[in-house]
Amino acid sequence: MDAPTELLAASSITSRMITRVQGAKASCLVDMISVEEPLEIRVVGTHEGQPFAKSLSITMRTPGHDVELAAGFLFGEGLLTDRSQIQRIASCGTVAGEPELQNVVKVELHPGVELDHKRLDRHFYTTSSCGVCGKSSLEALSVAKCALLPDTPPIEVTLIHKLPAIARSAQAVFEQTGGLHASALIDHAGTLIDLKEDVGRHNALDKLIGTRFLKGEVPLTDNLLFLSGRISFELVQKALMAGIPIVAAVGAPSSLAIELAEQFNMTLIGFVRGGRCNVYSGTERLRL
């Protein structure tokens, strides 16, 4: 069961006395601030009969849904392909009762699960702003063996115009801090299935996809993804890995994001705001 929203919000927000300046007038007040802390992802398993343990990634993130973030990261990188590969995944601090380990997630694999150790040995370091670095070309996706997204029935474009309001209604931490990105999964009837927030755009999406991955619900062919910021290559890649055919966002897509969406039959929509939007690929999935 997912943690209650109020508990996640409590771990995601801190407060600080600040000076607010309006025109020539200054005043002191308490401001709510989004928490940013490092998370280490460790993988434990066996390789050719020998046990191994690797610290795979350190990422700056907003605390909350750390297990889902780790799962989404490993799945998005193509290291894990099915939830059955995981024997146990948990926050070390939660299990051991050691506060100093609360920012560590350990992923224990079932005996016999073999990972691509060339990819596993690659040094990962991610930040809340840039996401997974190193994927600068479309050729990088050939390793992940991504398939073309299937054609899906068209949806009303009026639903696209409603996406910002649907997502905003569930952004509990953003309402208090104004400083978080969000990734929302919405069905074709306009029902919000899930939403995750984080200081990092990539982290928010990893948390969202990781949650569905752990529930055995990928591919997410019957849903659309709404992003609170701009659309980068990495975000489109993560959506592609999860089988999401429609990606919409408040901000603009990059040229490589558009190229990737076109190549894999994804509908890509930007500048969704004020009753307008720009469709960059996959117009056939919209009923205009």
Side-chain angles (χ1 to χ4, degrees), residues 9 12-15 20 31-35 62 168 171-181 197-199:
S12 303
I13 301 171
T14 186
S15 62
R20 175 166 294 171
D31 192 32
M32 307 306 293
I33 301 170
S34 303
V35 173
T62 301
R168 187 66 176 269
Q171 289 184 254
V173 179
F174 180 86
E175 284 298 322
Q176 297 185 61
T177 68
L180 289 186
H181 287 288
E197 294 179 288
D198 199 283
V199 292

Side-chain angles (χ1 to χ4, degrees), residues 22-67:
Q22 294 180 308
K25 186 177 180 180
S27 59
C28 295
L29 72 161
V30 176
D31 192 32
M32 307 306 293
I33 301 170
S34 303
V35 173
E36 184 176 24
E37 293 179 354
L39 177 70
E40 178 185 350
I41 300 173
R42 299 177 184 174
V43 177
V44 178
T46 58
H47 179 57
E48 297 179 348
Q50 300 298 316
F52 75 86
K54 289 183 178 292
S55 177
L56 187 63
S57 172
I58 297 176
T59 181
M60 298 301 294
R61 97 299 187 202
T62 301
H65 298 290
D66 290 342
V67 165

Side-chain angles (χ1 to χ4, degrees), residues 131 183 200-206 209 225 227-241 244 247 249 257 260 266 268:
S183 290
R201 295 175 296 121
H202 304 80
N203 290 348
L205 185 52
D206 277 340
I209 293 176
L225 173 67
L227 306 170
S228 65
R230 62 185 180 85
I231 313 171
S232 67
F233 171 86
E234 291 89 352
L235 294 179
V236 172
Q237 179 197 358
K238 291 175 186 294
L240 175 61
M241 289 288 289
I244 302 173
V247 175
L260 179 60
M266 176 184 289
L268 196 64

Side-chain angles (χ1 to χ4, degrees), residues 170-278:
Q171 289 184 254
V173 179
F174 180 86
E175 284 298 322
Q176 297 185 61
T177 68
L180 289 186
H181 287 288
S183 290
L185 192 68
I186 299 165
D187 68 18
H188 291 181
T191 301
L192 179 67
I193 298 171
D194 197 3
L195 180 142
K196 295 292 186 288
E197 294 179 288
D198 199 283
V199 292
R201 295 175 296 121
H202 304 80
N203 290 348
L205 185 52
D206 277 340
K207 290 178 179 181
L208 181 74
I209 293 176
T211 298
R212 312 335 290 182
F213 171 70
L214 291 174
K215 291 178 180 290
E217 296 177 1
V218 294
L220 300 166
T221 311
D222 297 327
N223 302 286
L224 59 90
L225 173 67
F226 180 69
L227 306 170
S228 65
R230 62 185 180 85
I231 313 171
S232 67
F233 171 86
E234 291 89 352
L235 294 179
V236 172
Q237 179 197 358
K238 291 175 186 294
L240 175 61
M241 289 288 289
I244 302 173
I246 302 175
V247 175
V250 171
S254 68
S255 59
L256 201 57
I258 297 171
E259 187 178 346
L260 179 60
E262 290 175 335
Q263 181 173 341
F264 287 92
N265 193 36
M266 176 184 289
T267 298
L268 196 64
I269 308 168
F271 293 106
V272 181
R273 61 182 76 162
R276 65 179 178 85
C277 64
N278 291 346

Side-chain angles (χ1 to χ4, degrees), residues 5-6 26 56 83 91 102 114 121 136 149 162 166 182 216 242:
T5 300
E6 59 270 19
L56 187 63
R83 61 175 179 163
S91 168
Q102 66 183 2
E114 290 288 333
D121 287 338
S136 58
L149 292 166
K162 296 176 183 177
I166 293 172

